[in-house]
Amino acid sequence: MENQEKLFDRSVVCTICSQNHTTKKVRYRYIRALRSDSDFCSYYEDEENSPLLYYVSVCPNCGYAASDEFSTYFPPNSKVAIEHAFSSGWKNKDYGKKRSVKEAIEAYKLAIYCATLKKEKHIVLAGLYMRLVWILRKESMTDQEVRFMKLAVSEYVQSYSNEDYESTDMSQVKLLYLIGDLYRRLNDEKQAILYLSRVIQHREETLEKRMIELAREAWKEIRESQKLNLKSS
């Protein structure tokens, strides 16, 4: 199957400079996930055309990068801050074609920069960090993966505290589980148990039984690891 048949052009109007541009997306029928990690990182049959690579669109005219989760609202002075940030250094690079992993990583970092200047919701920033983590993991860029995982969990915790995940696709139970799992991956067992326990406490009041099962499995693994460490010490 030719790559151009798997990808299609989506038209985008930049909310900063109002210019039209196109960004690639993967046709849904060609997205086939083979397996996933405990933090929902999916491994695709065709990683060369992974939808992760095209989650972010980048305006070639002004450099503004965003995902579909970005709000249309701009806080006071945020547009000016973004325009100023790109006014002298942007080189009109076109990310609207088939992307390499390197270009996808660049696009995510641009979107994170723009989201920070725009003061986007914590849940939006966390989603950008998390998807970047998944790409870095697949590329075995461990140090960078850990760096951005720490940023992701920090944003998820702030999203939970501020409840800015409400009215999004992220539920409270899934958010708590994800925070707990990320802390577990970062070897912060105390925080991992704290958040995973909160998930398990929801067992009688949620339809998300899979989240409860995942949290219980992760909690059990941490406890067993702690017991082994005590025996060996």
Side-chain angles (χ1 to χ4, degrees):
M1 182 63 63
E2 294 296 325
N3 287 325
Q4 58 263 31
E5 294 183 14
K6 295 183 179 181
L7 303 175
F8 68 95
D9 286 332
R10 177 182 173 187
S11 181
V12 179
V13 178
C14 178
T15 50
I16 293 293
C17 69
S18 301
Q19 294 294 309
N20 285 290
H21 65 276
T22 59
T23 188
K24 294 290 186 186
K25 291 291 183 181
V26 183
R27 296 187 192 280
Y28 182 77
R29 64 179 178 274
Y30 295 121
I31 302 174
R32 297 188 179 95
L34 301 176
R35 62 185 177 86
S36 62
D37 290 336
S38 59
D39 62 356
F40 312 119
C41 171
S42 293
Y43 295 83
Y44 298 98
E45 186 177 75
D46 181 7
E47 286 290 348
E48 185 181 339
N49 293 294
S50 165
L52 274 177
L53 304 179
Y54 302 98
Y55 181 74
V56 169
S57 64
V58 183
C59 176
N61 181 61
C62 71
Y64 181 66
S67 72
D68 289 344
E69 278 65 45
F70 278 45
S71 70
T72 55
Y73 170 72
F74 284 81
N77 301 318
S78 59
K79 271 194 175 184
V80 174
I82 293 169
E83 290 168 350
H84 179 73
F86 288 94
S87 61
S88 59
W90 182 245
K91 298 179 181 179
N92 295 76
K93 183 169 181 178
D94 186 4
Y95 288 87
K97 300 175 183 177
K98 180 175 171 59
R99 286 181 191 168
S100 64
V101 171
K102 179 177 180 293
E103 289 170 328
I105 291 173
E106 290 172 359
Y108 275 98
K109 289 181 178 179
L110 282 170
I112 288 166
Y113 185 40
C114 290
T116 303
L117 292 173
K118 187 176 180 292
K119 300 179 177 63
E120 266 294 347
K121 289 182 177 181
H122 295 292
I123 195 66
V124 174
L125 258 171
L128 291 170
Y129 283 130
M130 194 72 252
R131 287 169 175 82
L132 179 53
V133 163
W134 295 338
I135 291 176
L136 295 168
R137 181 180 304 163
K138 294 177 184 182
E139 294 299 305
S140 300
M141 299 171 69
T142 306
D143 290 345
Q144 288 294 300
E145 178 192 348
V146 171
R147 174 195 168 199
F148 284 103
M149 196 183 298
K150 290 177 179 177
L151 292 168
V153 76
S154 175
E155 291 296 332
Y156 278 131
V157 168
Q158 290 184 74
S159 177
Y160 174 65
S161 298
N162 297 330
E163 299 183 339
D164 74 2
Y165 62 89
E166 294 184 350
S167 75
T168 73
D169 292 337
M170 180 68 74
S171 69
Q172 185 185 83
V173 170
K174 184 176 180 180
L175 179 57
L176 287 169
Y177 166 74
L178 195 48
I179 293 171
D181 188 73
L182 290 175
Y183 274 128
R184 181 173 68 91
R185 287 175 173 273
L186 292 168
N187 297 316
D188 189 337
E189 294 181 342
K190 181 179 179 181
Q191 287 295 99
I193 287 174
L194 173 65
Y195 283 94
L196 292 171
S197 297
R198 290 178 183 177
V199 177
I200 296 169
Q201 290 169 9
H202 283 77
R203 62 185 179 275
E204 301 300 333
E205 55 186 77
T206 180
L207 298 175
E208 297 180 88
K209 301 301 182 185
R210 181 56 180 158
M211 291 298 109
I212 306 298
E213 292 172 9
L214 289 171
R216 189 177 287 118
E217 290 169 8
W219 185 90
K220 184 179 178 182
E221 286 179 10
I222 294 171
R223 286 304 193 191
E224 289 176 350
S225 174
Q226 289 178 332
K227 288 178 183 178
L228 288 173
N229 290 336
L230 283 173
K231 287 181 180 179
S232 61
S233 61

